[in-house]
Amino acid sequence: MSSSIYHHVRSNSHESGVTFIELLVVIVIISIVAALALMQRPSANEQFKRQNAARELKVAFERARFDSVKRRAEGVLQASVTVTTNSYTLSTDVNPNATGLESVASDLSGANITIAGFTSMTLPVTVTFDRRGEASAVDGSGYVNPQFLVCNGTCPVTPTSSTANIVLVTPTGTVNLLAGNATPPTFANANVTSIPTTTGISNMVSLP
C-alpha cells in the first residue's frame, strides 16, 4: 500500500514538473526578446535626439519672432536665425538695449544631427523676422522658402517619419514642426496692385 502511494506521488511530481528541454526553450525565447529590445533601443534614442533638435530649432525661430515683435525691430536690429548643416545661431536683443544683437550658437554635430533644405535652397540660410512677425529667408542666391529637414546623420533622399522632421517657417512667421514624410503647404505670392506715381490720393473728405 505504501509503495503504491509513493509511486503515485512520484508520478504526479514528474508530470507537474518542467523538463530540461522546456526550460531551455523558455530561456531561448527570453534571450531573443531581450536581443530585439536592445536592437530597438539605439534607434529609439536616435529618434528622440532628432525630435528634440527639431523642437529646439522651432523654438529658436519662435524666440526670434517674439523678440522682433516685442521691440518693433527694424533694419539691422531685426532678430534672426541662421541655419547651417550642423548648427543654428539665434540673434536677438537679449539685454534689451536696442544697440545691437547678441548671438547664441547651437552645435548639433555632437548628436550626429544634420539639417538640410527641404526645398531647393543652399545652407546657410538666414531667416529674419520684422516688427510684425513676418518672416523672410535668404541663402547665397536670394530669397528662399524656409523649410528645413532635421535628420539623424545624412538626410535621406526620401525622408520618412522615422528618419527626419520638417521645420517650416511660413511667410507670416508662424513655425510648424512636421513629420519627415509630411507634405509641407505651399504659399502663393501675395497679389500686389501697382499704383502709378502720377495718381494722387486726396486726404480731404467733403461732407454734405
Side-chain angles (χ1 to χ4, degrees):
M1 179 69 179
S2 60
S3 175
S4 176
I5 294 175
Y6 177 73
H7 177 73
H8 179 70
V9 171
R10 289 194 60 188
S11 298
N12 287 343
S13 63
H14 177 72
E15 291 174 359
S16 62
V18 178
T19 66
F20 176 76
I21 299 299
E22 292 171 336
L23 182 61
L24 186 61
V25 169
V26 172
I27 293 175
V28 170
I29 293 174
I30 294 175
S31 300
I32 293 174
V33 172
L36 291 175
L38 290 175
M39 290 174 61
Q40 293 296 325
R41 185 174 179 180
S43 176
N45 288 340
E46 292 299 314
Q47 290 190 34
F48 175 78
K49 290 179 182 178
R50 184 195 71 246
Q51 292 170 355
N52 189 54
R55 291 190 192 97
E56 290 179 350
L57 178 59
K58 176 178 181 289
V59 169
F61 286 125
E62 291 172 338
R63 287 181 59 187
R65 182 175 189 253
F66 176 78
D67 182 64
S68 281
V69 172
K70 179 184 67 175
R71 295 184 292 106
R72 301 186 64 80
E74 295 181 347
V76 296
L77 293 180
Q78 292 179 348
S80 65
V81 179
T82 299
V83 182
T84 68
T85 304
N86 296 111
S87 67
Y88 58 89
T89 301
L90 170 64
S91 298
T92 58
D93 190 6
V94 178
N95 291 331
N97 51 22
T99 59
L101 302 179
E102 292 78 29
S103 298
V104 178
S106 298
D107 185 11
L108 304 176
S109 58
N112 194 30
I113 301 296
T114 301
I115 303 176
F118 185 82
T119 52
S120 56
M121 64 181 185
T122 304
L123 300 182
V125 170
T126 299
V127 182
T128 304
F129 297 88
D130 63 18
R131 59 190 295 178
R132 293 177 296 183
E134 296 179 350
S136 61
V138 293
D139 63 3
S141 59
Y143 287 94
V144 294
N145 190 14
Q147 299 177 1
F148 303 93
L149 272 177
V150 181
C151 315
N152 295 112
T154 304
C155 288
V157 177
T158 305
T160 65
S161 59
S162 61
T163 60
N165 286 94
I166 301 172
V167 180
L168 164 70
V169 184
T170 69
T172 58
T174 58
V175 189
N176 299 281
L177 178 61
L178 308 175
N181 59 348
T183 302
T186 57
F187 301 93
N189 294 328
N191 294 323
V192 179
T193 302
S194 299
I195 300 177
T197 56
T198 56
T199 301
I201 300 177
S202 175
N203 58 359
M204 301 295 293
V205 178
S206 59
L207 299 175

